[in-house]
Amino acid sequence: MIRSIVRGVGSALPKRIMKNADFEDMVETSDEWIAQRTGIRQRHIADDSETTASLGEAAARAALDNAGLTPADIDLIILATSTPNNTFPATAVEIQHRLGMKHGFAFDMQAVCSGFVYAVTTADLYVRGGLAKRVLVIGSETFSRILDWSDRSTCVLFGDGAGALVLEAAEGEGTVADRGVLATSLRSDGSHKEKLYVDGGPSTTKTVGFLRMEGREVFKHAVGMITDVIEKTFWDAAITAEDLDWFVPHQANKRIIDASAKKLGIAEEKVVITVDRHGNTSAASVPLALAVAVEDGRIKRGDLVLLEAMGGGFTWGAVLLRW
Ligand code: UT7
């Protein structure tokens, strides 16, 4: 059977780093509160010249270099983002143009923090359906542009950045020993909209709006939803937590990650944590974490890797793959 294997990974971060202490003059908060409640110590914030498209392009180029490929080798670009450069056209199409591509096709996916997991699942279907041979899957966000910088309950949590994978069609045996995407599971439930949303949009306020979140409410649902979808993925692939080499979760809050790993029986040393240095970068958080763990030599070819995310909507999902 055809599998979507990972050929390359890359990432890009804005130049400017903002430390927790930098918020102390802006809102009533402290480095200690942010670090203790979330695990975040710093985040990257885009300047005016850095956008979702420019960061996405840089991450895509890094992933192509890592794969030893060029834009000419790519058939499809899927960009996961909730902070597009424009309402339309899709920022994926802008990235396609920036990469000098006149062939193939590109579109955006919007599932907020779960966007990358949704995008990998979709890319895998295009590859296994024979509609694309190589897909650039990008998560790129500039959440700093939709933050209310006077709201301490949200502005300290998010950061900007981008990560990308090149997925490629390859023959597999149809077993869990294959390389590539092995199992995926997506969920959503729109009844939770008011807990995490942006209070503007073209069809309602005709403005972009700002992010609003009832953090405690999101926290209450997060661990249950994450573990539910991961247990289904384990069941579908007939594996257990012990079989995993790496757990690469969405990086929103270290306490949510720790509680989920504990509930699932995933050993602490298998968990990749980047929330301390990136904050919550929404759809970019999982590919950014993957890039870190590949660059530092933790994730190696043949490793069994579990990706997971949960966010606005609510949306949530998991992807199991062998690197
Ligand atoms: O990526 C999408 C998914 N999003 C998430 O997963 C986020 C989920 N939620 C969370 O991570 C946590 O709920 C937060 C980090 C947002 C908040 O942590 P918490 O432990 O749930 O705190 P809380 O909201 O219950 O607030 C505790 C106190 C409150 O004060 P009172 O009411 O106890 O007097 C807040 O007003 O902390 C206060 N507070 C702050 N204090 C200092 C809220 N934000 C801040 C702040 N600095 N930045």
Side-chain angles (χ1 to χ4, degrees):
M1 69 177 288
I2 297 174
R3 294 285 196 191
S4 315
I5 63 158
V6 178
R7 265 292 295 263
V9 59
S11 66
L13 288 160
K15 293 178 287 295
R16 181 180 164 217
I17 291 176
M18 205 171 161
K19 304 252 185 210
N20 288 351
D22 298 334
F23 286 89
E24 289 173 359
D25 295 334
M26 296 167 52
V27 288
E28 206 183 320
T29 192
S30 64
D31 174 31
E32 195 194 0
W33 189 95
I34 302 168
Q36 270 183 8
R37 299 281 180 139
T38 69
I40 300 168
R41 299 200 167 272
Q42 63 168 51
R43 73 286 291 140
H44 292 250
I45 299 291
D47 67 24
D48 289 346
S49 71
E50 293 165 321
T51 66
T52 294
S54 74
L55 293 166
E57 177 200 357
R61 288 192 184 279
L64 285 167
D65 280 354
N66 183 245
L69 297 170
T70 71
D73 300 311
I74 299 298
D75 309 311
L76 164 62
I77 298 172
I78 306 178
L79 170 69
T81 191
S82 300
T83 46
N85 275 36
N86 297 84
T87 302
F88 78 79
T91 304
V93 176
E94 187 168 338
I95 293 174
Q96 179 191 24
H97 175 62
R98 282 165 171 265
L99 292 173
M101 288 170 61
K102 286 272 185 202
H103 64 281
F105 63 114
F107 59 85
D108 288 358
M109 290 207 84
Q110 214 273 48
V112 204
C113 297
S114 310
F116 193 75
V117 165
Y118 270 62
V120 169
T121 301
T122 305
D124 178 50
L125 290 170
Y126 274 96
V127 169
R128 286 195 290 120
L131 297 172
K133 197 158 184 290
R134 294 194 194 91
V135 186
L136 255 174
V137 189
I138 309 168
S140 183
E141 301 276 22
T142 44
F143 260 51
S144 63
R145 305 266 158 75
I146 54 164
L147 293 177
D148 174 351
W149 288 89
S150 65
D151 174 13
R152 69 173 184 176
S153 71
T154 53
C155 72
V156 302
L157 302 175
F158 295 89
D160 302 332
L165 291 183
V166 179
L167 294 182
E168 181 180 74
E171 273 300 323
E173 301 294 321
T175 73
V176 80
D178 288 348
R179 286 185 69 206
V181 176
L182 300 172
T184 59
S185 183
L186 301 182
R187 288 294 322 278
S188 65
D189 178 353
S191 67
H192 299 283
K193 176 182 172 184
E194 301 303 321
K195 299 183 181 88
L196 177 50
Y197 69 106
V198 168
D199 64 4
S203 189
T204 50
T205 60
K206 296 181 259 178
T207 62
V208 173
F210 292 108
L211 183 150
R212 305 291 172 206
M213 178 165 72
E214 293 171 31
R216 210 177 309 191
E217 286 299 310
V218 180
F219 198 119
K220 259 191 350 211
H221 287 84
V223 178
M225 288 177 162
I226 290 165
T227 51
D228 218 39
V229 89
I230 290 176
E231 274 161 4
K232 180 179 183 309
T233 308
F234 284 171
W235 171 261
D236 289 347
I239 64 150
T240 68
E242 272 106 79
D243 298 316
L244 285 181
D245 294 296
W246 300 105
F247 178 41
V248 186
H250 172 50
Q251 309 282 322
N253 187 321
K254 180 141 190 314
R255 285 154 59 210
I256 295 176
I257 297 172
D258 290 347
S260 309
K262 192 169 173 212
K263 197 166 165 201
L264 289 158
I266 301 172
E268 208 180 306
E269 58 274 13
K270 293 181 178 177
V271 185
V272 176
I273 302 279
T274 50
V275 70
D276 53 337
R277 56 182 117 162
H278 298 154
N280 181 349
T281 57
S282 186
S285 92
V286 168
L288 273 166
L290 278 172
V292 166
V294 170
E295 271 162 37
D296 69 21
R298 274 181 287 174
I299 296 180
K300 290 186 280 302
R301 191 179 167 136
D303 283 353
L304 194 57
V305 182
L306 177 68
L307 317 180
E308 157 277 300
M310 181 268 176
F314 291 150
T315 56
W316 65 107
V319 169
L320 181 75
L321 57 88
R322 193 173 292 285
W323 202 259

